[in-house]
Amino acid sequence: MIDPADLKHCEDSIRTGSYSFHAASKLLPARVRDPALALYAFCRLTDDAVDLTHDKSAAVLMLGERLDLIYRGQPRNAPCDRAFAAVVDEFEMPRTLPEALLEGMAWDAMGRRYETLSGVYAYSARVAAAVGVMMAVLMRVRDPHALARACDLGVAMQLTNIARDVGEDAAEGRFYLPLQWMAEIGLDVDEFLARPQPSPSIRRLTQKLLSDANRLYFRSEPGVAELPFACRPGIFAARHIYAAIGREVRRADYDNITRRAYTSKGQKLGWLIWSAAQAMAVTVMPRSAVLYGKPLPECAYLVDATATRRPSDNPWGEGRAGEIIAILAQLEARERARRGATLEQYRREAI
């Protein structure tokens, strides 16, 4: 059990450090919300420890030592460490998952850049999809198909973060867009970092990244239906609130250099209400074939480390099934985008 004082410390750190997650967590049942707060507080600690220090390599190594103490049952005498140690013990959290997060932090510390979109996926798998799989573990869900879709959601959220923060990252000398994309449009990364501007080319790349994020958001939704009923509204809310950030970037004509996209309290409230209704709706809907799609290759090791079954236990088999699932995913995404546009128009008129 998490000590109540440690839990309060975790909640306070999330309230000020992650508005979107704090809002979405309100819809989670207490049995999941409390360990989730401990999980996110530890994740926030790792993120801040690397971002807010000049000696990033030392910070990552220190976090590795803290994680090792947690898994030895001897956490450092700090609220986040003690709370996360309680979570690791109660839920038998696979060590691969928080270690993946630390690996992503190490990549940040090294200033790694990513040649292709697959490289960005690999980074996102570590800093975001691993957290999504840990959340599934907190819900006692270890089905490989549900975990694969949790990875989709985590990667989609991270792509949204990258698209929103291009300007802020550039100010810190960081760059996460695929280098291959930059080469294709003839932009030099170092020149851009020296003088970041919301040029038409950067706007197009931002649009391209957000389009891919939206594809993964839609692909993730069948996995939410596999979660315990009481958990679905909170995860749907996280999905919609983060996707809405991407829409705010679009409304700013993809200017992510001079502006930072955010969602208002009213928008968050609207998505919380919609998410509760969507959680009810999926209860009576048949399973989508998209559920059984393979995990992103960059995320497969997270699923393998956590699942009670192997992803190869796919009832849809191999060969053409993957192509069919991809087509179904595109069709479903197109239809949901159409319905989402109608809903967004309704919400703008209502708020």
Side-chain angles (χ1 to χ4, degrees), residues 260-272:
R260 190 177 197 272
Y262 66 92
T263 54
S264 67
K265 290 183 178 179
Q267 288 173 310
K268 287 185 175 70
L269 178 60
W271 286 119
L272 292 175

Side-chain angles (χ1 to χ4, degrees), residues 150-289:
C151 289
D152 290 341
L153 180 55
V155 172
M157 289 178 169
Q158 185 60 28
L159 296 184
T160 300
N161 283 338
I162 290 171
R164 177 193 61 191
D165 295 339
V166 169
E168 289 189 8
D169 287 333
E172 298 294 329
R174 299 190 298 256
F175 191 82
Y176 294 101
L177 295 174
L179 301 181
Q180 188 179 76
W181 290 7
M182 294 288 283
E184 289 172 355
I185 60 175
L187 278 182
D188 180 80
V189 174
D190 292 324
E191 289 182 6
F192 168 76
L193 291 177
R195 293 178 297 277
Q197 295 293 330
S199 65
S201 296
I202 290 296
R203 292 176 198 261
R204 286 196 300 273
L205 296 190
T206 300
Q207 181 180 16
K208 186 176 181 180
L209 191 67
L210 286 174
S211 294
D212 197 63
N214 286 335
R215 177 183 68 86
L216 292 172
Y217 280 126
F218 290 123
R219 210 172 85 137
S220 74
E221 288 195 356
V224 184
E226 299 302 302
L227 303 177
F229 176 77
C231 300
R232 295 173 194 169
I235 304 305
F236 272 128
R239 173 256 188 269
H240 289 303
I241 290 171
Y242 268 84
I245 292 172
R247 285 193 291 276
E248 292 302 314
V249 174
R250 183 184 65 196
R251 286 177 182 169
D253 194 23
Y254 300 101
D255 177 3
N256 47 18
I257 309 297
T258 66
R259 302 175 61 176
R260 190 177 197 272
Y262 66 92
T263 54
S264 67
K265 290 183 178 179
Q267 288 173 310
K268 287 185 175 70
L269 178 60
W271 286 119
L272 292 175
I273 295 170
W274 169 245
S275 297
Q278 189 177 15
M280 292 288 295
V282 299
T283 302
V284 297
M285 294 175 63
R287 275 193 174 102
S288 168

Side-chain angles (χ1 to χ4, degrees), residues 71-95:
Y71 273 86
R72 285 162 51 187
Q74 301 171 335
R76 189 171 158 180
N77 189 26
C80 288
D81 296 61
R82 292 193 299 265
F84 188 55
V87 169
V88 166
D89 181 62
E90 180 179 354
F91 294 90
E92 299 181 349
M93 185 70 68
R95 185 165 175 164

